[in-house]
Amino acid sequence: MPHFIIIGAGAAGMTAAGEAVRLGCEVTLIEHTNLPGKKILVTGKGRCNVTNDCDEQEFLRHVRTNPRFLFSAIAAFPPKKTMQWMESLGVPLKTERGRRVFPVSDKAEDIRYALCHWSNGARLVYSQAEELIVENGQVVGVKTADGQRIYGDGVLIATGGVSYPATGSTGDGYRLAEQAGHTIVEPVASLVSLVASGKECQKMMGLALKNISLRLEENGKKVFEEQGEMLFTHFGISGPLVLSASAWIRDLKKYRYQAVIDLKPALTEEQLYARIGRDFELLAGKNTANCLQKLVPSTMQPVLLERWGVDTEMRVNQIDRTKRLELVKLLKNFVVPIRARGDLEHAVITAGGISVKEVTPRTMESKKVQNLFFAGEVLDVDAYTGGYNLQIAYATAMAAAKGFAENFGLGDW
């Protein structure tokens, strides 16, 4: 019985472990934290966006880096199979806006438990993989930090990237892959909060906006636009829309980026102008300082008034047409200049990783070292928010488990 050593008991590692056991392999799963699947608990705001209910072609359109590399893996294990698999593990699912799939319970712990159950045929070793043991061009085992030498017939590196290091993603996989001669594309934060210029966001810290539209512009040209939710923070902006937009940012030294928020996307400029007119009639005798109370949340009003540049001592009924039109433009185009990405410590995923030019797409096997495999975020593949990145973890893990088993005449491809 071939022995498969898997480094990392996250979504990818546990998926591969369970599949390899079912294909007739002995499996050892090495995990350096005290809780397998720890990062799953912070995904989807603790609800776990399991996958995205779309077909393979649509899925690949949402992969930001190296989509062609994933063609075989996603074709073999598409989102529909993931959904059937999860439900077979006792997790009822539901689909929400943007085809995002969640457990009906809204509990990420249910997904973590299901994956633990799926992989429970593997032997779990709590230790840190320190070094690969490579002999005559093939991997034969792993040395751990506590002095163990675990020998096997193949190794899967499924350690994740370097985002959310508190959950165990500390970049060990990159170091191990480099030992084996692999090239690492520099990891950077992706799906991350954005740091804004100036102090305005800090003044609105904690304010969550719903049903707004956010447009990201690169040198004045729109590169992303979507409707949903966002949040102002002490350093800038965050929330689901911002995470999605952040994946479109390239080089902040080379390009100028700004987020443009439409606070009233359901209204045209003409409709909003009429709405403002009605509000102002009701507030006619009050000071202009109070004229936004029906339009935006209280913590945003001082910032908007300052940008608008209206005399806050004048009466609302004295605001002329020109100033009202300026307010319409401001509410439909609230600009937040972007200075930097948030840090890797709080990024949802890492862009960059092991160069896919050195990995066989169908089996996830190294082209440099025999019986060495990779799966999940450790690879240089990443996608936009919406369940796509976890789907990549499952699909590449399934491919790696089948690839290893195939090398020893097991499984049926």
Side-chain angles (χ1 to χ4, degrees), residues 139-331:
V139 66
V140 296
V142 176
K143 294 179 187 176
T144 66
D146 56 4
Q148 295 183 69
R149 286 174 174 256
I150 302 171
Y151 288 94
D153 301 293
V155 172
L156 168 63
I157 296 177
T159 51
V162 286
S163 56
Y164 276 124
T167 64
S169 299
T170 53
D172 286 353
Y174 305 143
R175 176 177 53 78
L176 294 169
E178 280 187 311
Q179 287 175 5
H182 277 273
T183 305
I184 307 300
V185 177
E186 184 182 2
V188 296
S190 186
L191 303 187
V192 71
S193 300
L194 296 174
V195 181
S197 303
K199 302 283 186 181
E200 286 184 335
C201 291
Q202 191 173 355
K203 293 175 184 176
M204 298 181 284
M205 179 175 62
L207 173 62
L209 298 176
K210 295 185 178 182
N211 300 317
I212 57 97
S213 177
L214 184 140
R215 181 171 78 250
L216 183 72
E217 293 181 351
E218 179 186 88
N219 289 351
K221 180 183 176 184
K222 180 178 77 174
V223 292
F224 167 89
E225 187 169 24
E226 200 170 290
Q227 197 166 322
E229 302 175 17
M230 62 160 287
L231 172 75
F232 289 104
T233 70
H234 67 285
F235 57 80
I237 53 177
S238 189
L241 279 180
V242 176
L243 298 181
S244 296
S246 69
W248 293 84
I249 290 180
R250 295 187 288 175
D251 189 340
L252 279 152
K253 293 177 182 176
K254 188 175 178 182
Y255 304 102
R256 177 177 54 85
Y257 291 93
Q258 61 181 24
V260 184
I261 303 163
D262 183 348
L263 294 159
K264 303 292 178 184
L267 301 177
T268 64
E269 290 193 1
E270 292 76 14
Q271 290 169 330
L272 182 55
Y273 183 85
R275 156 79 187 278
I276 288 169
R278 292 192 297 272
D279 286 353
F280 284 9
E281 280 180 28
L282 296 172
L283 301 166
K286 295 197 174 188
N287 283 353
T288 304
N290 302 305
C291 72
L292 301 179
Q293 60 188 240
K294 293 180 179 294
L295 286 165
V296 294
S298 58
T299 50
M300 196 173 198
Q301 290 170 29
V303 173
L304 278 169
L305 285 167
E306 190 174 342
R307 278 208 193 182
W308 188 18
V310 71
D311 180 359
T312 54
E313 295 302 316
M314 68 191 290
R315 299 295 182 192
V316 173
N317 58 9
Q318 293 177 290
I319 302 173
D320 61 19
R321 175 179 168 78
T322 300
K323 273 295 179 189
R324 293 184 185 199
L325 287 171
E326 285 177 8
L327 179 58
V328 169
K329 294 289 186 187
L330 182 56
L331 291 169

Side-chain angles (χ1 to χ4, degrees), residues 66-82:
N66 297 315
R68 285 186 180 182
F69 172 78
L70 292 171
F71 182 85
S72 296
I74 294 297
F77 198 76
K80 287 291 184 194
K81 279 195 176 180
T82 294

Side-chain angles (χ1 to χ4, degrees), residues 72-121:
S72 296
I74 294 297
F77 198 76
K80 287 291 184 194
K81 279 195 176 180
T82 294
M83 293 169 71
Q84 292 165 3
W85 171 54
M86 278 294 165
E87 296 205 315
S88 75
L89 293 175
V91 184
L93 302 174
K94 60 181 177 179
T95 303
E96 298 185 359
R97 181 181 56 82
R99 304 181 307 268
R100 290 169 166 86
V101 178
F102 292 91
V104 169
S105 66
D106 284 331
K107 293 179 180 176
E109 174 60 35
D110 289 355
I111 303 300
R112 192 193 78 83
Y113 179 82
L115 287 171
C116 287
H117 176 72
W118 168 255
S119 61
N120 68 7

Side-chain angles (χ1 to χ4, degrees), residues 4-134:
F4 200 22
I5 303 168
I6 298 174
I7 306 171
M14 288 194 286
T15 298
E19 182 66 7
V21 167
R22 281 154 185 77
L23 289 169
C25 305
E26 178 189 351
V27 178
T28 297
L29 192 53
I30 301 174
E31 171 57 34
H32 73 106
T33 74
N34 61 356
L35 185 69
K38 197 171 185 179
K39 190 174 179 181
I40 293 167
L41 298 177
V42 301
T43 62
K45 293 183 178 177
R47 296 170 63 214
C48 189
N49 186 179
V50 181
T51 187
N52 192 282
D53 188 9
C54 62
D55 63 25
E56 297 96 300
Q57 289 74 26
E58 181 66 20
F59 184 92
L60 293 173
R61 282 196 284 272
H62 286 81
V63 177
R64 195 177 79 101
T65 309
N66 297 315
R68 285 186 180 182
F69 172 78
L70 292 171
F71 182 85
S72 296
I74 294 297
F77 198 76
K80 287 291 184 194
K81 279 195 176 180
T82 294
M83 293 169 71
Q84 292 165 3
W85 171 54
M86 278 294 165
E87 296 205 315
S88 75
L89 293 175
V91 184
L93 302 174
K94 60 181 177 179
T95 303
E96 298 185 359
R97 181 181 56 82
R99 304 181 307 268
R100 290 169 166 86
V101 178
F102 292 91
V104 169
S105 66
D106 284 331
K107 293 179 180 176
E109 174 60 35
D110 289 355
I111 303 300
R112 192 193 78 83
Y113 179 82
L115 287 171
C116 287
H117 176 72
W118 168 255
S119 61
N120 68 7
R123 178 173 72 106
L124 187 58
V125 173
Y126 289 103
S127 189
Q128 183 164 0
E130 191 71 28
E131 187 181 339
L132 297 177
I133 304 171
V134 180

